[in-house]
């Protein structure tokens, strides 16, 4: 869980904190004493937000922390870091990249103001990690993910294990490794994710308000390792032996997170969707093992927390697309088992909303949702749906490709999306649009080829004129195909 709570349960509520501020202003109090009172007010507003979810409380917290930084320059790193943390809370709900940019700017300012290698520097660096992580989620730029792992590892090394922030940083770095494993598939990242997540749970105090978040992260790592049993496949083949140890442990971890979490709003949607996802994965494993009745029951259990998670997620939140995608998959699985028309309708609606929501704020999530929708619609011969989903896929894949600064990263996203071109092309052919199908099939290769166009012009002068003409004509055809394909 990302919020940083550094205050005790005896702190005043916002009204009491504001009354103390007014008294301080009337008396002309300034400097560190005023900053402490502003800090108390900011903390009170944030805690009330975690409990009730009112965005105005977050805006007020940001204002109090910024004023504290002005009042107490000697502790500017502390107050500016608190500002950055509150802004990341705000971004998690608004999806406004302006909030994220402001959070990163504040985190960088705080990190620069702290003594490098000190515990305070580590706390500020950990907030910068969250900003980089959020930007990776928003754009898919793997450079941000790798920078977050590097900075997070340094922050972890700068903190003593007994520091209250150690478990938070340790758990977050574990999740960063998991994100990189899911993209680059390096086993060292997966094992580091499980190890760090477990160490965070073991190191946290029982009354740590963020302990539910650490349990949630451990569940994430275990669930990912469960899926790693089946190389190159999301799930086992029918009749294949399945070790349920990790998925059962993940379900238990998510249930623990929900049970011990202090907050009614912050964190709960995340824990709910992860629990539903784990139950759905377990259901699929049971189905493939021939235990159909248990599988259907597990799917129905999965839909309950997933539906609640979506209902608690604002429409502007960056994670809404991902949560809708998971709900769509659970509904799709139920529809496959029951054949119920209402399950088909609700699954389709969830995928459609996931694709549309993710385009602007989480294109990676749109790729995943479009993938799931395309494959399902293809099995049902629902070619109009395949075409609709493929349109979302193309737009999201282009956004992800353009966000990468390194060719290896661009290729990773193209590999993730290019295989689906065959499904989209087949759907177009079934709809009688043969020419469009051919263009769709070539789009992925054309994107990579277009990158090379800028690398070879200097070599053209060494070629015979007729080769130069052929090359120029090929460039023109690629550019026209890219433009005409949307």
């Amino acid at each position: 869980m990302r919020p940083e709570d550094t205050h005790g349960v005896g702190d005043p509520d916002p009204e009491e904190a504001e009354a103390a501020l007014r008294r301080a202003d009337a008396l002309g109090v300034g400097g560190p004493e005023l900053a402490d009172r502003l800090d108390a007010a900011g903390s009170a507003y944030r805690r009330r937000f975690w409990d009730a979810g009112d965005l105005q409380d977050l805006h007020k917290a940001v204002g109090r922390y910024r004023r504290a930084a002005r009042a107490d320059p000697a502790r500017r790193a502390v107050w500016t870091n608190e500002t950055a943390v509150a802004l990341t809370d705000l971004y998690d709900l608004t999806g406004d990249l302006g909030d994220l940019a402001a959070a990163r700017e504040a985190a960088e300012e705080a990190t620069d103001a702290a003594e490098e290698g000190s515990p305070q520097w580590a706390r500020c660096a950990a907030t910068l990690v969250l900003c980089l992580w959020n930007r990776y989620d928003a754009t898919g730029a793997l450079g941000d993910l790798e920078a977050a792992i590097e900075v997070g590892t340094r922050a972890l090394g700068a903190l003593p294990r007994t520091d209250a922030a150690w478990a938070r940083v340790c758990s977050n770095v574990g999740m960063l490794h998991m994100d990189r494993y899911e993209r680059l598939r390096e086993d060292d990242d997966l094992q580091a994710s499980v190890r760090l997540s477990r160490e965070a749970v073991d190191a946290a105090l029982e009354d740590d308000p963020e302990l539910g978040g650490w349990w949630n992260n451990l569940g994430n790592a275990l669930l990912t390792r469960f899926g790693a049993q089946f190389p190159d496949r999301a799930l086992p083949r029918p009749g294949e032996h399945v070790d349920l140890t990790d998925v059962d442990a993940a379900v238990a971890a998510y249930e623990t997170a929900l049970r011990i979490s202090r907050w009614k709003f912050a964190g709960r949607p995340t824990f709910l969707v992860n629990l539903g996802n784990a139950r759905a994965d377990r259901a699929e494993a049971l189905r493939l093992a021939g235990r159909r009745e248990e599988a259907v029951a597990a799917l129905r259990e999965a839909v309950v927390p997933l539906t609640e998670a979506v209902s608690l997620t604002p429409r502007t939140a960056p994670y809404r697309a991902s949560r809708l995608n998971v709900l769509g998959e659970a509904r799709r699985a139920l529809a496959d088992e029951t054949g119920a028309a209402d399950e088909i309708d609700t699954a389709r609606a969830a995928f459609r909303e996931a694709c549309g929501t993710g385009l602007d704020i989480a294109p990676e999530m749109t790729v995943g949702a479009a993938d799931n929708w395309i494959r399902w619609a293809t099995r049902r011969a629902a070619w109009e749906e395949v075409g609709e989903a493929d349109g979302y896929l193309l737009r999201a894949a282009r956004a992800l490709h353009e966000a990468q600064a390194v060719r290896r990263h661009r290729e990773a996203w193209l590999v993730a999306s290019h295989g689906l071109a065959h499904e989209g092309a087949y759907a177009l052919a079934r709809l009688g649009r043969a020419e469009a199908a051919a263009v769709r099939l070539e789009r992925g290769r054309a994107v990579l080829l277009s990158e090379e166009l800028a690398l070879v012009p200097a070599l053209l002068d060494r070629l015979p004129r007729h080769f130069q003409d052929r090359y120029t004509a090929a460039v023109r055809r690629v550019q026209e195909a890219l433009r005409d394909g949307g």
Side-chain angles (χ1 to χ4, degrees):
M1 185 176 179
R2 297 183 179 182
E4 180 176 358
D5 183 9
T6 59
H7 304 278
V9 295
D11 287 341
D13 63 25
E15 286 70 26
E16 292 174 347
E18 286 296 327
L21 276 177
R22 287 193 294 272
R23 290 194 295 272
D25 287 338
L27 295 171
V29 173
E33 182 179 349
L34 176 61
D36 286 336
R37 297 193 185 192
L38 288 161
D39 178 37
S43 174
Y45 280 122
R46 286 185 68 217
R47 286 199 316 279
R48 190 166 72 180
F49 158 73
W50 297 341
D51 198 46
D54 187 345
L55 284 178
Q56 290 305 310
D57 282 336
L58 276 182
H59 285 290
K60 291 176 182 177
V62 169
R64 302 308 178 272
Y65 291 134
R66 282 178 168 160
R67 188 181 169 197
R70 294 192 297 271
D72 186 12
R75 288 188 288 172
R76 182 165 59 93
V78 174
W79 310 131
T80 307
N81 184 57
E82 293 285 1
T83 302
V85 173
L87 283 165
T88 63
D89 289 344
L90 193 61
Y91 169 74
D92 281 344
L93 290 183
T94 65
D96 186 340
L97 291 176
D99 289 332
L100 179 55
R104 183 180 179 181
E105 181 180 351
E108 289 175 339
E109 180 183 343
T111 303
D112 290 342
E115 180 184 355
E116 184 163 356
S118 67
Q120 182 57 48
W121 175 88
R123 293 186 185 92
C124 297
T127 306
L128 178 58
V129 166
L130 295 185
C131 298
L132 292 165
W133 194 0
N134 279 329
R135 195 167 71 170
Y136 163 72
D137 285 341
T139 67
L142 286 163
D144 282 334
L145 179 60
E146 294 188 340
I149 291 174
E150 188 271 329
V151 175
T153 301
R154 287 170 55 204
L156 189 61
L159 286 169
R161 193 181 180 94
T162 54
D163 192 287
W166 191 89
R168 176 187 311 110
V169 178
C170 185
S171 188
N172 284 346
V173 174
M175 291 299 93
L176 290 165
H177 277 286
M178 188 185 75
D179 279 359
R180 190 167 68 179
Y181 166 77
E182 290 180 335
R183 184 52 47 208
L184 302 180
R185 294 296 171 182
E186 295 178 359
D187 188 64
D188 286 349
D189 277 325
L190 177 58
Q191 300 310 323
S193 176
V194 174
R195 173 179 56 80
L196 291 167
S197 300
R198 199 179 298 280
E199 287 180 7
V201 167
D202 292 341
L205 299 175
E206 290 186 4
D207 61 349
D208 190 322
E210 298 183 70
L211 182 54
W214 314 154
W215 276 105
N216 172 75
N217 288 351
L218 176 58
N220 291 343
L222 290 166
L223 191 61
T224 301
R225 193 169 68 177
F226 166 73
Q229 292 180 72
F230 324 113
D232 302 322
R233 304 191 303 279
L235 287 164
R237 295 188 178 98
E240 186 174 15
H241 172 72
V242 180
D243 185 347
L244 296 176
T245 302
D246 277 339
V247 72
D248 286 342
V251 168
Y254 294 136
E255 290 174 341
T256 299
L258 282 164
R259 185 177 67 254
I260 69 175
S261 180
R262 174 182 300 182
W263 313 112
K264 297 176 182 177
F265 184 81
R268 183 171 178 82
T270 298
F271 303 163
L272 286 166
V273 77
N274 290 341
L275 173 60
N277 197 18
R279 286 176 175 173
D281 282 358
R282 189 176 189 280
E284 184 65 3
L286 291 169
R287 183 187 71 82
L288 293 173
R291 297 156 65 176
R292 183 180 178 278
E293 290 186 4
E294 292 177 72
V296 171
L299 279 172
R300 296 193 187 283
E301 290 177 352
V303 165
V304 175
L306 292 174
T307 302
E308 183 182 350
V310 170
S311 72
L312 291 174
T313 306
R315 293 189 176 277
T316 56
Y319 299 116
R320 184 173 176 86
S322 174
R323 292 166 184 172
L324 283 161
N325 182 32
V326 176
L327 176 60
E329 272 293 274
R331 291 287 190 186
R332 185 274 307 160
L334 264 180
D336 288 347
E337 291 297 320
T338 66
D342 60 335
E343 294 293 354
I344 294 174
D345 290 342
T346 53
R348 181 192 302 114
F351 285 139
R352 179 177 288 121
E353 186 179 351
C355 287
T357 298
L359 276 177
D360 293 330
I361 57 177
E364 179 182 1
M365 305 308 173
T366 292
V367 170
D371 183 350
N372 290 331
W373 190 7
I374 287 170
R375 296 180 191 280
W376 179 50
T378 298
R379 292 197 300 272
R380 293 182 291 115
W383 307 119
E384 292 285 355
E385 285 183 41
V386 174
E388 181 182 356
D390 188 58
Y392 284 116
L393 172 69
L394 280 171
R395 293 161 65 189
R398 174 177 291 178
L400 288 166
H401 176 266
E402 292 174 350
Q404 310 308 315
V406 180
R407 180 180 172 86
R408 182 171 72 97
H409 296 167
R410 292 194 292 272
E411 288 176 344
W413 283 116
L414 284 173
V415 168
S417 60
H418 180 55
L420 294 176
H422 299 86
E423 303 285 0
Y426 184 63
L428 289 167
R430 291 297 299 262
L431 292 170
R433 299 172 60 192
E435 183 175 348
V439 171
R440 176 65 185 97
L441 201 57
E442 293 300 314
R443 283 287 311 280
R445 279 187 289 180
V447 171
L448 267 184
L449 178 58
S450 68
E451 288 189 7
E452 302 299 336
L453 303 184
L455 301 179
V456 298
L459 302 176
L460 289 180
D461 290 340
R462 304 179 187 179
L463 298 176
R465 182 66 187 181
H466 68 282
F467 284 123
Q468 294 182 35
D469 292 342
R470 289 174 61 185
Y471 175 82
T472 303
V475 169
R476 186 167 53 251
R477 288 196 297 273
V478 168
Q479 292 171 338
E480 289 173 355
L482 289 172
R483 183 178 63 251
D484 296 342

